């Protein structure tokens, strides 16, 4: 099993996009800075999807242009199509030191969720990606690929792991550096996780994969442990448990970053994260969204401080 784990933070994008209220640009940047100051080295900052789809992220250009250039910190932004990549390229132009930025593309393992999410079939999305991924790499950007509904689809039920494996292989062939596997509705169990990873790890090194677990049924950390046992070293999480999926009915929040870090540190894993500063970032996230967040460790640390 590995000794160092990368915690990949998705709160500023995946978390905030699911909030009813829109957090101002300066608030988003303050949260990003707080997460970076806590030692998180990869932060998903925003998405260049159409503001008509996700109005909470309409300030993607402003956020990207203002990302702080910090040693060892890289930021990831989602680009759904060529227009989104053009907007990202525009945001990265300008004078001065530029933050390290990566691009990410996304699709689902199930056809129905693809149609609900982006109104395209899997094949239509791949035709777009055949141009998009090489274009992003030509700009000098690393590219991450997201595959949603790997464990199950809210419309189709359980998804055949072979379908997900085929999608992953095609993303790797296009040039994606890492593939994040998403349990979008939080139905995964450790046994299922072992079967899915066992299939994928026949052809891919474990560092090429990440797990993006939702905690809908309280099994996210158990699935992380299953991934650790098989050598996976990158896990997506969201500060305070922010987030969900607007196109997946019943999907609750992501695995909370502080819950993941608390477990990893307790098991002796290195993350490079300052736990106290991470809790401060979680409390900031609560103030920004105006409500208490569901992360269990955040709740426990807040209660302890109030005693």
């Amino acid at each position: 099993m590995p000794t160092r784990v990368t915690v990949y933070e998705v709160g500023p994008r995946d978390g905030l996009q699911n909030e009813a209220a829109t957090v101002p640009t300066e608030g988003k940047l303050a949260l990003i800075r707080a997460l970076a100051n806590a030692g998180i080295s990869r932060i998903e900052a925003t998405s260049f999807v159409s503001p008509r789809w996700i109005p909470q992220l309409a300030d993607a250009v402003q956020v990207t242009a203002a990302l702080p250039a910090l040693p060892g910190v890289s930021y990831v932004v989602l680009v759904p199509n060529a227009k989104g990549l053009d907007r990202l390229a525009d945001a990265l132009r300008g004078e001065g030191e530029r933050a390290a930025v990566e691009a990410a593309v996304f699709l689902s393992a199930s056809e129905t969720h693809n149609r609900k999410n982006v109104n395209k079939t899997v094949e239509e999305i791949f035709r777009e990606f055949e141009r998009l991924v090489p274009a992003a790499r030509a700009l000098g950007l690393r590219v991450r690929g997201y595959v949603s509904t790997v464990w199950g689809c809210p419309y189709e039920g359980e998804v055949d792991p072979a379908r997900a494996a085929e999608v992953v292989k095609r993303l790797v062939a296009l040039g994606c550096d890492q593939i994040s596997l998403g349990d979008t509705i939080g139905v995964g169990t450790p046994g299922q996780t072992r079967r899915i990873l066992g299939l994928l790890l026949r052809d891919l090194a474990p560092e090429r994969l990440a797990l993006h677990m939702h905690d809908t049924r309280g099994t996210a950390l158990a699935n992380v442990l299953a991934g650790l046992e098989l050598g996976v070293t990158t896990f997506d999480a969201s500060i305070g448990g922010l987030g969900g999926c607007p196109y997946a009915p019943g999907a609750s929040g992501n695995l909370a970053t502080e819950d993941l870090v608390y477990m990893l540190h307790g098991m002796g894993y290195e993350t490079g994260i300052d736990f106290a500063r991470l809790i401060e970032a979680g409390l900031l996230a609560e103030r920004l969204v105006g409500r208490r967040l569901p992360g269990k460790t955040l709740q426990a640390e807040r209660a302890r401080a109030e005693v």
Side-chain angles (χ1 to χ4, degrees), residues 113-130:
H113 192 259
N114 269 304
R115 290 184 178 277
K116 295 284 187 179
N117 198 12
V118 294
N119 198 30
K120 292 180 181 179
T121 66
V122 170
E123 286 304 319
E124 288 170 339
I125 291 173
F126 269 111
R127 284 198 291 273
E128 181 86 43
F129 287 177
E130 286 171 0

Side-chain angles (χ1 to χ4, degrees), residues 1-8 41-42 144 178-179 197 201 205-212 223-236 260 264 269-271 273:
M1 293 175 67
T3 58
R4 185 172 182 88
V5 171
T6 298
V7 175
Y8 177 102
S41 59
R42 299 186 73 200
R144 191 184 215 228
Q178 186 180 63
I179 310 298
L197 290 177
L201 292 172
E207 59 266 22
R208 299 294 298 274
L209 299 175
L211 295 187
H212 182 118
N223 285 300
V224 167
L225 286 174
L228 283 168
E229 291 170 356
L230 293 173
V232 176
T233 57
T234 301
F235 298 93
D236 299 1
L260 174 62
L264 292 172
Y269 287 99
E270 300 175 12
T271 66
I273 293 172

